[in-house]
Each structure stands twice: as C-alpha cells, then as structure tokens.
C-alpha cells in the first residue's frame, strides 16, 4: 500500500475493479479523508492505513473547519472521497444530501455488533427513518470534574443534580482565601455554550422543537440561564473565563469543581491530580444530560461495486481492536471508545494515562449514552444550528445574563436573533 501512487491500480490484479475469476466482485483503490490533521496523529494513522492489504488507500488529512469547503470542491469535480472520518454535524449534512451510503454503514455496524456500540453515539449517526448515515467511531464527553478529598471532607454528594451542584458550589466557595465554588465558561465563546448545554437540556430546554422551530425563549431555557448564571456569579471565579482559565483554576487548586471535557485527563495526570479527581458524567434535573462530540466513518455512495466493497472492508478493518485501540491511544482519555467491548479490554486499558484513571475511563465512556446537543432533536440533526453556533448566539445569551440583564428578556431577544440568523 502506498499513498504516493495516488490510488493508481494499473497493472495490479489485487486492486482491479473488475470481477475475480470466479465472478466475485474484487477490490479497488479508494480515498480516505480524516480530520486528524495534526502531524503527530498523521504519523500514527498513515501506517495503519498502509497496512490494509486488500487495496491501495490514499489518505488525505484536513482541518475540520476546512472540510465543508474541500467537500464542496470535490463534489463539483465529481471526485468525492470514498470514506470520511468527520464529526457528527458533517456526517448529518452529507447524509441529508444523499451523499452517504446507509447500506454500507449498516453493513459495517452489523459486522461490529449493534449492541457493542454506545446508543448515544449511534443516535448522532442516525437517519430520520432509523438507519445510520455512518459508523460512530470515537467521542469525547464534558462533565464535572471534582476533588474527591474536598468532597469527602465536607460530606458532599456527587455533583450531578442541580441541587447537589449548588450545594457543593456553596460549600466550596471561600473567596477570601482565593477558593471558588465552581469553574464554568462565562466568556462569549463556544466553550460557554458547551458548558451551558447540559444544564439547559437537563431542564427540558431546547433551541429547536421537533418541527425545527426556535424555542429558545421557553420558560425552561429562562430557568436554565438563571441557574447557570447564579452559579457563575455567586460561586465562580470573578471575571469572564473560557476553557484555559477554567482548567487552570482547578490545576492551581483555586477551584475544586469545574465543567470540562475528557481531554483534561492528560493535564490532570501531569499535575499529579488523577488520584484525587472524580468525574460526574451528566447533569440531572428533569433528565440526564451530557455534552460531547462523536466522530464517525461515513462511506459515500458509489456505483462501482468494487469501490463500495473496498470501502466497507477498509472501514471494518479500522474498527478491528488492534487498529482501533492504536487510533484511540493517540489521545488517551480524550478520545473515548464507542465500542463497549474495547472500552473494557486489556489492550485499551493498558496505557499509562488510562491506567491512572481506572474506573473513571469507564464512567466517561458510558456517558456517551447521555450525550445531547442543541443541534440534535430526538437524534436528528438540525443543520440550521450551525449558523446559530457560529454566531455565538447561545453563548451571548449566557454572557448577557451574567452581565446583569434579565434572563427572560435576553432569551426572547436571542430567540429572535436566532430566527433571523437562519432565515
């Protein structure tokens, strides 16, 4: 297998798109796009791709933000990649345009075992009629990280419910001694929207209803805004914060409870805080809600049977335990397995970072079942949310209330801004 040959199969029987001597469909060269464009990740993925034996696979790597533009150009040229490893929003957008093969995705899912894949991850890949646009591959989850020794000392329960979170924030808050109750996003940035999302969804608050109508001005959303801002104002570190400052308050032991993603695992290990840190994987009020992201392998539809067969075979290969674990270990703890059997396997857990976290890794992985986002309603994507997110309308609502504006007025005005954004 050689990327440099551009997938040229001339003179190669093993990659012929014609049938084998017995009439069975053969294999063909294919193109694979991945969003993992960092140099250190390419160095891991490229050898895995090259070891696929059935056919040549040309791997291309892109920044996730540039993929829609690259896809548009490839589509115009009639040269779409055969497989894409991208985030759920991109999968849903491609699927809604009938560019992905649900048949191929379903075939791979069935070969892995539907029961082995996390329900929440599958929902991110689901079609309106219950099939799947793609195969979920990995994900990350955001939740509340907290200092076990402090919680034990104060007799505090796990910070999952609205009541328990407020109780802990109040008990931990001691600003005279540079101690603050909770670290949350409060700046006009995506991190603030992400931190706010599980509080809102746990209260039944959504941006869209099932008919795709904006309902950001609902009483449930107003209540969630008031609760979140009350935590940040009365028990948070003064000023506006995004992810770096929030993480640093925990590492510096100025906060003992913060909302952050599973990618913090490595940082806490370096700070020698793993043994004394626990993870609350969801927020609960009316329902359990976690925020997170899922990436998937989408197989584009092709009239060439050999290409389709190869794309399916390559995707199955990438989900085999050896290849799959090697991929996940590029960011141990950050990238979470959506395969339950792999999450529990010795091969996956035999990692310096993951060893230090023991049961926490299983807790994070199980949280993928509760992952929900404003851009999805009942498992279905609302593409228009991309425009709302890019304009930071949700984060702006949080900031406006944080700055002292009335939550009901803000929710009403931001709802109208959202309606205008998607017109």
């Amino acid at each position: 297998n050689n990327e440099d040959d551009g997938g040229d199969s001339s003179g190669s029987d093993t990659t012929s798109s014609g049938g084998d001597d017995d009439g069975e469909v053969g294999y063909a060269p294919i193109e694979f796009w991945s969003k993992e464009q960092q140099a250190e990740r390419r160095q891991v993925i490229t050898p895995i791709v090259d070891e696929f034996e059935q056919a040549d696979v040309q791997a291309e790597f892109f920044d996730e933000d540039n993929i829609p533009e690259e896809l548009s150009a490839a589509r115009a040229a009639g040269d779409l990649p055969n497989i894409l490893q991208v985030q759920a929003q991109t999968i849903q957008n491609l699927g809604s345009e009938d560019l992905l093969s649900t048949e191929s995705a379903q075939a791979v899912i069935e070969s892995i075992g539907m029961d082995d894949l996390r329900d929440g991850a599958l929902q991110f890949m689901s079609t309106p009629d219950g099939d799947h646009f793609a195969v979920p591959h990995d994900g990350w989850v955001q939740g509340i990280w907290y200092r076990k020794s402090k919680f034990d000392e104060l007799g505090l329960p796990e910070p999952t419910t609205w009541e328990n979170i407020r109780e802990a924030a109040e008990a931990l808050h001691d600003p005279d001694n540079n101690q603050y109750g909770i670290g949350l996003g409060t700046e006009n940035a995506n991190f603030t929207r992400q931190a706010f999302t599980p509080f809102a969804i746990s209260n039944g608050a959504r941006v869209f209803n099932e008919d795709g109508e904006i309902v950001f001005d609902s009483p449930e959303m107003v209540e969630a805004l008031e609760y979140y801002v009350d935590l940040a104002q009365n028990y948070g570190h003064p000023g506006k914060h995004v992810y770096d400052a929030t993480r640093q308050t925990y590492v510096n032991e100025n906060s003992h409870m913060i909302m952050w993603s599973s990618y913090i695992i490595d940082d806490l290990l370096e700070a020698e805080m793993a043994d004394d840190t626990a993870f609350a994987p969801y927020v609960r009020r009316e329902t359990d809600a976690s925020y997170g992201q899922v990436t998937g392998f989408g197989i584009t539809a092709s009239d060439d049977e050999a290409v389709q067969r190869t794309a399916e075979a390559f995707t199955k290969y990438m989900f085999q335990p050896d290849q799959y674990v090697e991929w996940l270990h590029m960011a141990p703890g950050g990238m979470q397995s959506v395969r339950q059997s792999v999450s529990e396997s010795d091969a996956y857990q035999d990692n310096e970072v993951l060893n230090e976290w023991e049961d926490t890794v299983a807790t994070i992985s199980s949280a993928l079942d509760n992952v929900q986002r404003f851009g999805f309603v009942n498992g279905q994507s609302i593409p228009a949310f991309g425009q709302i997110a890019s304009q930071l309308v949700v984060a702006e609502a949080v900031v406006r209330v944080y700055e002292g504006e009335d939550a009901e007025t803000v929710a009403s005005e931001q709802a109208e801004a959202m309606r205008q954004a998607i017109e």
Side-chain angles (χ1 to χ4, degrees), residues 271-308:
E272 299 183 349
M273 291 181 169
D275 290 343
D276 196 26
T277 297
F279 178 70
Y282 56 82
V283 173
R284 176 189 297 149
R285 196 170 196 220
E286 299 299 324
T287 186
D288 295 350
S290 305
Y291 179 88
Q293 177 62 277
V294 176
T295 69
F297 273 57
I299 300 173
T300 56
S302 173
D303 293 331
D304 188 322
E305 290 185 35
V307 165
Q308 209 69 16

Side-chain angles (χ1 to χ4, degrees), residues 167-187:
E167 178 186 350
E170 184 175 358
L172 294 167
H173 196 59
D174 184 11
D176 290 341
N177 290 303
N178 203 23
Q179 298 285 299
Y180 301 93
I182 190 167
L184 296 169
T186 50
E187 193 170 298

Side-chain angles (χ1 to χ4, degrees), residues 209-230:
N209 63 15
E210 293 182 3
D211 297 322
E213 300 167 332
I214 299 289
V215 290
F216 190 80
D217 47 359
S218 69
E220 293 81 7
M221 186 65 75
V222 171
E223 189 176 19
L225 283 167
E226 290 173 339
Y227 174 83
Y228 183 93
V229 169
D230 175 64

Side-chain angles (χ1 to χ4, degrees), residues 152-171:
D152 290 344
E153 176 189 329
L154 298 171
L156 296 169
E158 184 182 28
T160 50
T161 68
W162 279 28
E163 294 79 6
N164 290 350
I165 294 167
R166 189 194 298 275
E167 178 186 350
E170 184 175 358

